[in-house]
Amino acid sequence: MSTIVMSGTAVLVLLGFADHTYWLAAVALLLLYARYGRGSSSAPTSGGAPGVPGPAAPTTYKAYRERRDRQAKWERRYRRERPFEARRQQREKSG
């Protein structure tokens, strides 16, 4: 992934000698890669969509516990507000 971004940036910089807007595109490409490319994991979390990377793993046990408790709270709320969907999902999971 990084080789594609770097080669694309090099091409945009070379094209930038003729038209300076390509330099802006190169900078934007590098910024997008720095923000979303390097730090994102390729494995999705269980609560996220299949192609969307999830949050980073907690670094301390306290952070892990807070995240686990927050997730459990949301799951209880979902089961309380949507009982039919929750029962259907439970049947599909167990069956």
Side-chain angles (χ1 to χ4, degrees):
M1 174 73 176
S2 64
T3 56
I4 295 170
V5 172
M6 292 303 154
S7 62
T9 303
V11 168
L12 288 172
V13 167
L14 290 175
L15 290 173
F17 289 110
D19 186 6
H20 297 302
T21 56
Y22 286 116
W23 283 347
L24 294 175
V27 170
L29 179 66
L30 287 175
L31 288 175
L32 286 173
Y33 176 68
R35 182 164 185 178
Y36 298 111
R38 271 187 304 154
S40 66
S41 64
S42 60
T45 60
S46 61
V52 179
T59 56
T60 63
Y61 181 71
K62 182 179 178 184
Y64 160 74
R65 203 172 54 228
E66 289 172 355
R67 184 177 171 276
R68 182 194 62 191
D69 292 345
R70 195 175 332 120
Q71 181 69 30
K73 183 178 97 172
W74 279 103
E75 288 174 359
R76 285 191 303 269
R77 179 179 176 184
Y78 180 83
R79 284 194 305 268
R80 184 178 63 241
E81 292 179 355
R82 298 171 180 86
F84 297 114
E85 290 93 344
R87 276 190 240 135
R88 181 183 51 80
Q89 288 176 358
Q90 190 63 28
R91 278 194 312 267
E92 289 174 356
K93 186 189 282 187
S94 65

